[in-house]
Every structure is written in structure tokens, then in C-alpha cells.
Amino acid sequence: MLSYEYCDSSDSFYFNDIQDFDFNPWIEVKSVSEKGRCVFSKKFIPKGTMVFRDIPYAAIVDNQFKRNICTTCFKILLESNRHNFQTCPSCLQVNYCSNYCKQYSKIETRHTELECKWIQDFTVSFKHQMAEDDRNIVLLVLKILARRIYEKQSTIFHSKPLTTNIEACTSNNNNNNNIDLLPMIPNDIPDLIDHLDDYFINCKNNNNNENENENENENEEEEEQEEEKEEKEEQENNNENEKIQSSNVIIDDNEKEKEEIKKFNKIWKNDFKRLINIAKVIQIIIDDSINSLENVKCDYGFVDNQGDTEMVDNSIDPKGLDKLVDNLSSSDLNILRLLCKIRANYFGLWNSAYKPIKLNSIDIDIDDDDNNNKEKSTTTTNNDYLWCGSGVYLKLSLFNHSCFPNCTTLIEYNTNKKNSNNNNNNNSFINGDINQLTISIITLRDIEENQELLITYIPLNQKINDRVKSLKSNWLFQCDCKRCHFEKINENQTEKIYKDSCCTNQKCSGGLLIPLEQNSTQGICRVCKNTSTLPTVFYPLN
């Protein structure tokens, strides 16, 4: 069973202090040029230390798991507890493990009447037209909007007056991504960073690509003529071959870089078009003036009547994007801004206890004591770690990415066995001191003073090209972590360091080992609960 020391003998503070950056003894937030807000250590932090905790602003169960997981406590809905199941009678899309969870859900998971109405409209008109990932982000945005209206909070997500003018959106004086316009600690949805202006800039720059390409071609022809003359003059030089080879390498590298930029520009433009259409779907759903949604259709990257997803070729520029951008209304742009904030900052809610076959064969969070009775059990061990939901955590969004992070995230319902494996009416989720959707940040290695704390945004068991593509496509940044850097120099050495830090069970997908406790030499897999000795040498990745 995982256990963590919250402080050492020299510190004295309440447990809740690590949920507040102002009082946290371990970490602080700093602004870094060209990087934005980052989390740094105040002092040396031993491995296995819980340094931060956060609860979600909003959380949902993913559409495909809605009949198997409680919306409130994220417990697995076991067949043995089927008699306690509760379903929303209006939308039929939200399920609970008990009537208590239905009646007394916390605000981050509360199913309000307005959200229920929106889900009904979405289910009837749009759900069947959208891909699974798009359905889930729509449901998450609707829950956030419903909560803000329920609490009578603002639904304006621009820090400046709304505009659909690209120049105004992307100017230095009106850049909503500028860290100077955001508070150091995000306490509300508008405080989150988004990449909407980056999309606008990319769209604007690509509008001039044809003219720029023509000018580049002319310049290249002139350069080629000059190079030919230079080559003739250098023919008498004994080092002619070496110079030609080096110049060819430089030209090849420049060409590859240009092609790479063009490729991602097209991916971003296609993604931008998809986001605009999703924002329009959300706007239609929340617009009370729309009396009937039966004949409303989506027109990009969605599922047709036969259930086939429209194939989008990201290698070409999307058609009609300029027209879509020009026709954005102020309300469309406002929803688009919110959508971009959510998409850039939401966390996957991973469940190590879910197996999407026969609910009565699920083995939930086996610990060491359970392993002693494994032969007597009729359940099957699950070595998968599945994305079963999504949540927006305001302060956790400050932690940046690394492909070899020094911290990891743990969700409370995956570590608290008593609460997650109890499908009766003790209502431990409501009465307990800890919210089951709490995410904790645990240090994986010793962290020196004034060192940045990093987590991962993606699965790490990928090659560098796949990781770069995923990060650059979804978060619009080029990863410059040490693993990516040294993997280009010495792939075998880099991968050995990474694999030595992972679960040794070849059938498991648990990833990096987590120290059993503070300063522990043993690490545990979050999925299969296999324990191994933690490595001590990380050079050159430390």
C-alpha cells in the first residue's frame, strides 16, 4: 500500500498547507521568460514526498465508461451492487453507485438541471455525429458552463473585449496568452493559459504562404546561381569535396526544418477548424433561441449516419477555414476561448481498477495483502491503466511537461482502497476528509533546491518522434527536455535509464515506479503493484 510522509522533522505545518502555494513549504511558482509560469522547489525535496494536492474544478466520466463508473465518486459499478444503481431519469446519461451519491454530489461533479437539459439536446442532435474524444470535451465544457451559471459566475472568458479581428487578437497589446495578463496562481477558469492566439497567428501567417513561397523560390534561384559560381571557383581547392558535403548537410537540415514547420502548420490549421466547429456545436446547444436541433448537422471531422468517422487529411490545408474565422461571432469566440483553455489544461482521470469486460471479474487495486490470497480469488488481475474520465485542475495546470519527469500524479481513488473498493452505502466519498478526485504530486527522485518540478502530459513509452508529434500537435510546443535531447545523441543509453525507472513486469503498462515512501529505495507500480529497487544513477538525465 502506498504511504507518504508529508513533512520532515524540521517542518511543522498542516496537511492542507500543501494545497496552497502561499503556505506550501516545498514549492513555489515563478515566471520564466519565454516559458511562463513554472513550479520550482524552495529547498531539497526527497523522493517519495507528496508536495502538492488539488481538487478538480469540474470532472466527468468519459462517455464510453458512463455505465460502469459512478459520476460522483468514480467507483466501479459492480454487478453485486446493481440494486443500488441510480440513473438520471431525464437524460439517462449519468449514473451513480448509490442514491446518496446522486443526492449529495460535490460541486465539481454535480449534475445540474441545466446540464441535464444540454446533455439531452447534445445526445439527440450531435453525439452520434462526433468522435469519442470530441464528445467528452463537449461534455466537460457543458459541465463547466452549467456550474458557472449555477453559481452565478461570469461566463466571459476573455481578459479583453471580445473581437473576431485576427490582428487585434494577436497583437502584443491584446495577447490573452501573455503571462502579464494572468495571475501567478490560477484560481478560476479565465486564469488558465490557452493557445487560441497561437492558432490565429498560424492561420494569419499561412494566408501569406503563397506569396512568401514565391519570393523564397526567386531568392533560392538567385542563391543557386551564386553557389554555382562559387563552386566553380572552389574547384581548384583541395578541400572542395569537404566544403560541398558540409554545405549540402546544412541545406538538407534547413529543408527538413522547413518541411517540418509546414507539416505542423497544416496539422494546427486542421485542428483549429475542428475546434471552431466544436465551439459552434456548444454555442448551438446553450443558445435558448434554438427551438429544434433535430436537423442541425456538423460539417467537419465528425461521424456520418453509418457510424464512419470522416477522414481528415492533416497533410493538406483545410478548406473553408478562412471563411469560418471571418464569420466567428463574439459569442463563438468566447466559447472557443473557453474550449481552448480546457483542451490545453484538462487532466485524464486514469483508473487502474477498470477492466471493460464482465464487471464481476474486476480486481480492484490489489495490494500486498491481497496478493497473498491471489490463488483463492476468482477475479483476474488487470494490468491496464485506462483513461476513464477528464477533469480540470486549476493549480495543477502550472506543472510543465518532461518526457522523463521528476514527479508523478496520483488520483485518490486509485490509492485509497477502502473507499474505491467499497460499493455499499457507507458514503466514504462524502463523509471522508479527502475528495476521491484529489490528485497528488509525488516526487519520483530527489529534487535539489530551485529545480523545476515536472510531470508528463503523454504516455512515455513512445519513441521521440511520436512524443514530439503528440506534444507539438496538441500543446503546440517543442519539447526540449533532457530525454529528448540525449535520445538524439545516444538512444540506447537514454532508453536504458528510462526503462530502469519503470515497472519490470513486461505485461504491465504502469510506467515509472513510485517510491513506496519518503527516501524509500523501493518503488511500486501504480497498476500491477509490483515492487522493484529504484535506480540511483540517472546521468545524463538528472
Side-chain angles (χ1 to χ4, degrees):
M1 182 65 68
L2 297 173
S3 62
Y4 295 103
E5 297 290 340
Y6 304 118
C7 59
D8 56 37
S9 58
S10 64
D11 289 309
S12 177
F13 61 94
Y14 291 105
F15 176 75
N16 289 336
D17 287 347
I18 63 173
Q19 297 181 223
D20 192 332
F21 279 106
D22 291 335
F23 301 100
N24 193 298
W26 301 112
I27 57 179
E28 61 184 342
V29 182
K30 296 181 181 180
S31 179
V32 178
S33 177
E34 298 183 356
K35 193 172 183 179
R37 300 172 292 188
C38 306
V39 179
F40 283 85
S41 57
K42 289 181 177 179
K43 58 183 179 180
F44 172 80
I45 306 176
K47 60 186 174 184
T49 303
M50 182 184 294
V51 295
F52 191 72
R53 298 168 69 87
D54 199 11
I55 60 174
Y57 181 89
I60 63 165
V61 175
D62 273 16
N63 179 69
Q64 68 184 51
F65 297 113
K66 65 185 179 184
R67 299 187 184 279
N68 304 104
I69 296 178
C70 176
T71 295
T72 297
C73 67
F74 272 63
K75 291 177 185 174
I76 305 298
L77 302 179
L78 299 181
E79 289 293 338
S80 60
N81 192 46
R82 178 67 68 178
H83 60 284
N84 287 324
F85 287 9
Q86 298 287 327
T87 300
C88 175
S90 298
C91 67
L92 304 177
Q93 302 296 310
V94 177
N95 297 277
Y96 306 92
C97 66
S98 66
N99 186 59
Y100 198 92
C101 272
K102 180 181 178 181
Q103 295 295 325
Y104 297 100
S105 61
K106 293 177 180 286
I107 188 62
E108 58 265 19
T109 57
R110 184 169 300 163
H111 184 53
T112 63
E113 291 183 9
L114 182 58
E115 182 195 11
C116 185
K117 175 185 178 302
W118 287 346
I119 290 179
Q120 291 178 60
D121 293 339
F122 174 67
T123 302
V124 170
S125 304
F126 295 109
K127 182 179 175 181
H128 62 282
Q129 301 183 53
M130 304 182 76
E132 190 66 30
D133 290 345
D134 296 337
R135 294 175 188 172
N136 293 323
I137 197 167
V138 168
L139 292 174
L140 184 56
V141 171
L142 291 178
K143 179 170 283 291
I144 289 171
L145 286 170
R147 171 179 173 172
R148 297 186 73 82
I149 292 174
Y150 177 82
E151 295 181 327
K152 297 181 180 180
Q153 296 180 4
S154 171
T155 54
I156 301 299
F157 303 100
H158 265 285
S159 59
K160 295 291 182 180
L162 295 177
T163 177
T164 57
N165 182 280
I166 293 180
E167 285 76 10
C169 280
T170 59
S171 67
N172 292 331
N173 293 329
N174 191 25
N175 188 347
N176 288 279
N177 278 345
N178 193 326
I179 189 64
D180 294 335
L181 300 178
L182 298 174
M184 188 63 74
I185 309 297
N187 292 306
D188 199 1
I189 295 295
D191 300 339
L192 297 175
I193 201 75
D194 63 76
H195 301 293
L196 179 57
D197 297 332
D198 295 325
Y199 281 115
F200 275 121
I201 291 172
N202 181 61
C203 182
K204 176 184 177 183
N205 291 340
N206 277 275
N207 288 337
N208 300 322
N209 270 354
E210 293 183 0
N211 294 332
E212 291 178 357
N213 288 337
E214 290 179 359
N215 294 332
E216 287 179 2
N217 290 335
E218 292 177 359
N219 293 333
E220 287 176 1
E221 290 178 0
E222 294 177 358
E223 289 177 0
E224 287 176 1
Q225 292 176 359
E226 293 179 0
E227 287 175 2
E228 289 177 0
K229 293 179 181 179
E230 291 177 359
E231 288 176 3
K232 291 179 181 179
E233 294 175 356
E234 293 174 355
Q235 286 178 356
E236 297 178 357
N237 194 318
N238 293 332
N239 297 325
E240 177 185 7
N241 292 333
E242 295 180 3
K243 292 183 178 180
I244 291 175
Q245 289 175 0
S246 62
S247 63
N248 285 339
V249 170
I250 295 173
I251 292 172
D252 290 342
D253 289 342
N254 289 337
E255 288 300 322
K256 288 181 181 179
E257 185 177 351
K258 289 180 181 179
E259 289 301 318
E260 191 78 2
I261 292 173
K262 289 180 181 178
K263 181 181 75 172
F264 281 107
N265 282 342
K266 290 174 182 178
I267 291 175
W268 293 334
K269 289 183 73 173
N270 280 281
D271 192 39
F272 190 29
K273 182 174 181 180
R274 183 172 65 89
L275 290 173
I276 290 175
N277 279 281
I278 294 174
K280 286 184 174 292
V281 167
I282 296 171
Q283 185 61 48
I284 291 172
I285 293 172
I286 65 177
D287 191 345
D288 292 335
S289 65
I290 304 296
N291 297 321
S292 177
L293 300 174
E294 294 180 0
N295 298 320
V296 179
K297 293 183 179 181
C298 307
D299 63 352
Y300 182 79
F302 295 99
V303 180
D304 60 22
N305 294 331
Q306 285 73 41
D308 297 324
T309 303
E310 177 189 346
M311 299 300 293
V312 177
D313 188 354
N314 286 326
S315 65
I316 61 175
D317 287 332
K319 296 180 180 179
L321 177 59
D322 294 340
K323 184 177 180 181
L324 270 177
V325 172
D326 292 339
N327 292 333
L328 282 174
S329 66
S330 295
S331 56
D332 289 336
L333 190 59
N334 188 54
I335 295 298
L336 184 59
R337 178 74 70 179
L338 170 62
L339 179 62
C340 287
K341 288 180 181 294
I342 302 310
R343 187 172 181 269
N345 294 282
Y346 75 96
F347 282 75
L349 301 179
W350 299 82
N351 200 319
S352 62
Y354 184 78
K355 194 168 187 176
I357 59 172
K358 296 182 181 180
L359 290 178
N360 58 2
S361 69
I362 296 176
D363 187 11
I364 297 185
D365 246 9
I366 300 175
D367 60 15
D368 293 337
D369 293 333
D370 294 323
N371 285 333
N372 296 330
N373 301 320
K374 190 179 294 184
E375 294 181 358
K376 299 179 182 179
S377 176
T378 59
T379 59
T380 57
T381 303
N382 174 35
N383 285 336
D384 289 326
Y385 209 53
L386 301 180
W387 182 311
C388 295
S390 304
V392 176
Y393 293 74
L394 299 178
K395 295 182 175 68
L396 280 186
S397 65
L398 294 171
F399 288 83
N400 289 321
H401 166 84
S402 170
C403 295
F404 190 61
N406 53 20
C407 297
T408 190
T409 56
L410 279 182
I411 304 175
E412 188 63 32
Y413 60 71
N414 279 334
T415 60
N416 190 334
K417 185 183 179 226
K418 290 182 179 180
N419 287 347
S420 62
N421 194 21
N422 210 358
N423 269 284
N424 53 33
N425 289 324
N426 69 351
N427 306 310
S428 56
F429 170 78
I430 304 299
N431 296 328
D433 294 330
I434 300 176
N435 186 322
Q436 290 298 289
L437 297 181
T438 298
I439 289 184
S440 301
I441 299 292
I442 312 296
T443 55
L444 298 176
R445 303 186 294 277
D446 291 342
I447 297 178
E448 300 298 329
E449 182 180 354
N450 200 34
Q451 183 178 346
E452 186 176 6
L453 279 72
L454 302 164
I455 60 175
T456 181
Y457 296 172
I458 59 174
L460 296 175
N461 56 343
Q462 306 177 74
K463 294 296 184 181
I464 183 171
N465 290 338
D466 295 327
R467 300 198 307 269
V468 168
K469 181 179 179 182
S470 178
L471 292 167
K472 212 166 183 179
S473 299
N474 295 299
W475 286 275
L476 282 71
F477 73 85
Q478 176 75 46
C479 184
D480 59 354
C481 73
K482 291 188 176 182
R483 182 184 174 191
C484 288
H485 174 74
F486 285 105
E487 195 167 327
K488 299 174 184 176
I489 301 173
N490 191 332
E491 180 178 356
N492 292 334
Q493 180 190 16
T494 304
E495 283 307 291
K496 183 182 185 304
I497 296 172
Y498 166 71
K499 290 180 180 179
D500 287 347
S501 303
C502 293
C503 178
T504 56
N505 184 354
Q506 295 181 353
K507 296 182 179 179
C508 179
S509 59
L512 295 171
L513 293 171
I514 305 170
L516 280 170
E517 58 186 357
Q518 196 177 69
N519 286 317
S520 174
T521 59
Q522 296 291 307
I524 186 171
C525 173
R526 70 178 72 219
V527 179
C528 70
K529 305 301 181 287
N530 182 41
T531 58
S532 303
T533 302
L534 292 171
T536 57
V537 179
F538 304 100
Y539 181 83
L541 302 187
N542 58 331

